[in-house]
Amino acid sequence: MQSFVRFIDRLTGCVGFVGAWLVAPLVLSACYEVFSRYILGSPTIWAYETGYMFTGANFLLGMAFAMRENAHIRVDVLYLRFSPRTKAIVNALSYALIVVPIGSWLSFALYKHGLSAYLSHETSGQSAWNPVVWPFRLSFFVAFAMLVLQALSELAKCLLLLRQTEPEAHGHVVLPSAAGRQGSH
């Protein structure tokens, strides 16, 4: 189970890295659009769609990374008062009963949606550029599939923590992101 956790955490980091780097072409295209529109007097036909596609992919591909880093927003009124074991139980139930089933359902639906766009050569229809949308839709599927995998990794971390005989004896176990931290989001 430890190797599964390490592999998924590493994969999540790689996908998060790619998502983060999507900001670079987004900024470059926005700067070029401003230059082209206001200096050259000739706006581009592709800036709007580039902007929403890169921004959407950036946020979506960052979901699993945010889960791994315990950076999601949570109401901590009671949660902060819980022991690491109680936090692990709450997290495990949340992952097992909410995130994994709903994320799996969404991943499957988004896969079909993206495949349909690819097979039909669907285009955006929102500008004169009119690009194909399957790469953007592929990012939807990848993002939710990674969210499910990261939720499974976090669930495994919770189970590993709960298997410990002494709550403070973490040893070599990779802890759930929120289990050992006080004052998290």
Side-chain angles (χ1 to χ4, degrees), residues 87-102:
K87 287 178 182 179
I89 291 169
V90 169
N91 289 342
L93 290 172
S94 298
Y95 298 135
L97 299 177
I98 299 170
V99 179
V100 171
I102 293 173

Side-chain angles (χ1 to χ4, degrees), residues 162-176:
L162 293 171
R163 275 194 349 202
Q164 294 287 321
T165 55
E166 297 177 35
E168 300 303 320
H170 303 307
H172 66 285
V173 175
V174 178
L175 292 174

Side-chain angles (χ1 to χ4, degrees), residues 48-140:
Y48 167 72
E49 288 180 308
T50 301
Y52 82 73
M53 287 183 185
F54 281 137
T55 302
N58 169 263
F59 280 97
L60 287 169
L61 293 173
M63 288 189 311
F65 185 78
M67 179 183 284
R68 185 188 89 175
E69 298 299 312
N70 193 32
H72 284 290
I73 297 171
R74 172 180 40 243
V75 178
D76 285 341
V77 176
L78 297 175
Y79 188 83
L80 284 178
R81 300 173 195 265
F82 293 161
S83 70
R85 292 180 73 78
T86 305
K87 287 178 182 179
I89 291 169
V90 169
N91 289 342
L93 290 172
S94 298
Y95 298 135
L97 299 177
I98 299 170
V99 179
V100 171
I102 293 173
S104 298
W105 171 69
L106 282 169
S107 295
F108 179 71
L110 290 167
Y111 171 76
K112 290 185 351 184
H113 194 55
L115 183 61
S116 171
Y118 176 76
L119 294 174
S120 68
H121 304 289
E122 181 181 351
T123 58
S124 69
Q126 295 192 18
S127 74
W129 180 37
N130 206 21
V132 294
V133 295
W134 70 263
F136 186 45
R137 300 253 175 93
L138 176 64
S139 73
F140 292 7

Side-chain angles (χ1 to χ4, degrees), residues 2 6 26 34 46 59 65 69 80 82 92 144 159-160 171 179:
Q2 283 285 332
R6 283 190 199 89
L26 171 63
V34 169
W46 49 265
F59 280 97
F65 185 78
E69 298 299 312
L80 284 178
F82 293 161
F144 278 93
L159 296 176
L160 287 168

Side-chain angles (χ1 to χ4, degrees), residues 4-5 67 95 100 147-157:
F4 170 76
V5 167
M67 179 183 284
Y95 298 135
V100 171
L147 185 68
V148 170
L149 289 173
Q150 188 59 43
L152 290 171
S153 173
E154 296 297 320
L155 177 60
K157 292 174 195 175

